[in-house]
Amino acid sequence: MIASAVERPHKRFTDAADAHAVTTTGLTKQFRGGQVAVDHIDLAVPTGAVYGFLGPNGSGKTTTIRMLLGLTRPTAGTHRLLNGRMPEDAATLLPRVGALVEGPAFHPHLSGLDNLRRLDAVDRTADPTTARARIGAALDRVGLTPAGRKKYRAYSLGMRQRLGLAAALLRPRDLFVLDEPTNGLDPQGTREVRTLIAELSAAGTTVMLSTHLLAEVEQVCTHVGVMNSGRLVAQAPLAELRAGTATRVEVETDRPVDAIATMQRLELPDIVVQGHRVGAALGELPSDRVVAALVYDGVPVQGFRVVVPDLESVFVGLTGEGFDVSG
């Protein structure tokens, strides 16, 4: 099993030259036929961050990741990994990057252990004298030691994902790029991957996590980038993104017209009426002031609540589509 999470130290994101582990400028991918999958995006993944890369299916996340790793060439734009140019410096940069993209590819007739041995043997930057210890540690870290000698073709989808993570963990990395790493995992496996990501971050590794599960983002991410229809529609620290959406108040009353008048007197913006419910953006006004004003104006208050926007509301507002909040 993956070890317990350790407390992540507070990280300082500076303006130094190495402040970003991933940057892109105008990165674009247009396929034959004219479809633009990624449209002039400017990513900035801070060094040491856990960067949640989010978006509905087909929004361009995986295509972006493939360009970052040199698996497909961009149509336009430039990008850098770990303060080096891609693809010019790929030979020296990519050994410092661990990746899990579009599901791992392994030889079905080999065991999980032998697949990792083969991968490690073809890595010219890996130390062969430490291979046995590193492979064993990687299998143990993802909970696959008991199934290490089992043929890959007999692995479940979740076990294949775990083996892909083990391959990325065969040596220390400065950057991990993970595309839907919990795909196929049961709830326990999903929790273990979150723990692993937290441990990597605590050790100073930058993690770029492509996912559609908001639970993963809320529990492990420090920064977020949101893709929609090939465009980067938002990018910010997670707390800042949340803060950018207004808290609302909602009153239930059998005199909604009078409630509207009170909210207008208080200059509350974005008033919305749904039957006997009247809502408005709260702004800087304390919520108890709204209640006091309603009572003062003689508006009968049958229910009152403060609605703090959750992460799902933020993303639906940015993309017009829902996200999976499970996991």
Side-chain angles (χ1 to χ4, degrees):
M1 304 297 284
I2 297 171
S4 300
V6 294
E7 184 178 355
R8 288 185 293 167
H10 175 70
K11 295 181 178 60
R12 297 178 180 177
F13 301 103
T14 69
D15 294 327
D18 62 348
H20 291 94
V22 179
T23 56
T24 72
T25 303
L27 196 65
T28 302
K29 182 64 177 181
Q30 183 173 8
F31 293 115
R32 292 179 181 177
Q35 179 193 0
V36 179
V38 178
D39 191 0
H40 294 87
I41 67 170
D42 299 330
L43 288 173
V45 179
T47 298
V50 179
Y51 184 98
F53 195 42
L54 305 175
N57 290 334
S59 60
K61 302 190 306 296
T62 297
T63 301
T64 299
I65 287 173
R66 289 178 60 81
M67 286 191 287
L68 293 179
L69 297 173
L71 299 175
T72 188
R73 294 182 66 87
T75 307
T78 61
H79 69 285
R80 298 174 69 88
L81 299 182
L82 303 170
N83 208 33
R85 298 174 302 168
M86 288 288 291
E88 294 88 343
D89 301 328
T92 55
L93 293 175
L94 291 181
R96 299 168 58 196
V97 180
L100 177 65
V101 183
E102 291 186 321
F106 293 104
H107 292 282
H109 62 283
L110 295 179
S111 68
L113 178 62
D114 286 337
N115 266 294
L116 293 186
R117 286 171 174 164
R118 180 183 176 278
L119 283 175
D120 196 68
V122 299
D123 184 353
R124 295 180 180 179
T125 64
D127 181 358
T129 65
T130 62
R132 181 175 181 179
R134 288 185 291 101
I135 292 170
L139 284 172
D140 185 61
R141 203 167 184 187
V142 300
L144 271 185
T145 299
R149 298 189 181 279
K150 191 174 183 178
K151 300 292 186 186
Y152 179 76
R153 61 171 169 253
Y155 276 17
S156 67
L157 176 59
M159 292 169 70
R160 293 179 182 192
Q161 285 294 103
R162 288 172 182 264
L163 191 64
L165 287 168
L169 292 165
L170 283 174
R171 50 175 297 168
R173 315 283 184 176
D174 296 313
L175 170 66
F176 276 87
V177 180
L178 307 177
D179 188 12
E180 300 286 356
T182 58
N183 183 35
L185 297 181
D186 58 19
Q188 177 62 26
T190 298
R191 286 191 292 270
E192 291 172 356
V193 169
R194 290 179 191 151
T195 297
L196 174 60
I197 291 170
E199 290 176 344
L200 292 170
S201 177
T205 303
T206 306
V207 181
M208 185 174 181
L209 171 66
S210 173
T211 182
H212 65 284
L213 298 177
L214 295 188
E216 290 181 356
V217 177
E218 292 193 284
Q219 293 186 36
V220 302
C221 291
T222 60
H223 292 67
V224 173
V226 183
M227 293 286 290
N228 190 42
S229 300
R231 293 180 176 270
L232 187 67
V233 296
Q235 179 172 240
L238 182 58
E240 182 179 309
L241 195 64
R242 276 203 184 106
T245 302
T247 299
R248 298 182 62 83
V249 290
E250 186 177 275
V251 61
E252 186 172 347
T253 177
D254 56 9
R255 287 165 52 186
V257 174
D258 294 334
I260 292 171
T262 299
M263 291 182 177
Q264 289 174 335
R265 178 171 65 81
L266 293 172
E267 299 182 344
L268 296 183
D270 193 20
I271 298 173
V272 177
V273 183
Q274 293 180 322
H276 286 185
R277 292 183 180 178
V278 182
L282 184 58
E284 299 298 323
L285 193 68
S287 59
D288 57 357
R289 287 276 303 279
V290 180
V291 177
L294 289 166
V295 173
Y296 180 83
D297 291 345
V299 179
V301 177
Q302 283 128 13
F304 184 87
R305 65 175 183 148
V306 177
V307 183
V308 179
D310 57 16
L311 206 51
E312 183 180 19
S313 300
V314 174
F315 293 133
V316 170
L318 288 168
T319 68
E321 299 188 37
F323 282 73
D324 191 340
V325 298
S326 64

